[in-house]
Every structure is written in structure tokens, then in C-alpha cells.
Amino acid sequence: MTTKARVNHVANVDRDPRMDPRNNPACANEDPELFFPVGREGLWDMALVADAREICSRCPVLVKCHDWAMESGEPNGIVAGRTPNERKALKRKADQDAKDTAQRKLLGELLAERAGDPDALLKEFVHPPMPIAAWAE
């Protein structure tokens, strides 16, 4: 006798807030095809996209839905009022902002570490190293 593993639907609720009826998402009673248009994104009917965005704009779980879509990398459909390309652009910007922040933090640490030795700082960032006296010329 074999037993099948039971799917824990309650665990999946945390992953996608639209799947939890307790959240009462605005898209719960809408046609799913509205949120998953057929064809390539650039060819979607913009009136249908606008309709989907309007439904998302009045949704009580919009923020949860957006966070889930960004964390999961949902590649399809209009989720939280955003298309896949819009979500990708937001992800790229967030990644670049995080990278820039990390670089600024590292630069700040280097500057603080070498504050007493300007020549060491120049060796780090100027190639070939230029003595500070040359700046005055």
C-alpha cells in the first residue's frame, strides 16, 4: 500500500496572498484571463491591462501581493498592478540600489580607515599615485 503526500494548502497561503480567501483579494471573483493576457507582453491589449490595474488598485492585499511577486520572481501576468517587465525593472533597480549602498558603505569605511594617511588613500584610488603636493600645482 502506498501513501501519497498531502499538499498543505495552508502553507501555500503564505506564499501567495491572493490564494488566501481570508484576505479577500479584489481579484478573487475576477476572470483570471484578465490578469494573464495571451501573447507577448508588448502585444497585450492595453485596455485589458488597465482594467487589471484598476482591480489591483482597490485590493486590500496589494502590498502583500507586490512583495510576494517581487520575492518569488513571478514571471507571468499582471500581479499587484504590474507587468512582468515592470517587475523586472523594479528588481533591477532594487538590486542596483543595494549594490550602490554597499559600495558607499565600503568607501566610507575605507575613508575612515585611511583618514590619517592621505597618501595611502591616493594609492587606493588614483593610478598612478599622485602626491598631494602635485594637486596644488
Side-chain angles (χ1 to χ4, degrees), residues 11-69:
N12 292 333
V13 167
D14 292 335
R15 294 190 188 128
D16 186 348
R18 299 170 301 169
M19 304 308 286
D20 185 352
R22 296 172 295 180
N23 287 333
N24 195 24
C27 61
N29 296 321
E30 299 293 336
D31 182 4
E33 290 184 20
L34 180 64
F35 299 94
F36 294 94
V38 177
R40 292 179 40 207
E41 182 176 337
L43 303 175
W44 289 350
D45 181 352
M46 293 312 292
L48 294 177
V49 172
D51 290 345
R53 288 181 201 263
E54 192 277 321
I55 292 167
C56 290
S57 71
R58 57 183 162 85
C59 184
V61 293
L62 178 66
V63 173
K64 285 182 185 178
C65 190
H66 178 266
D67 292 346
W68 169 82

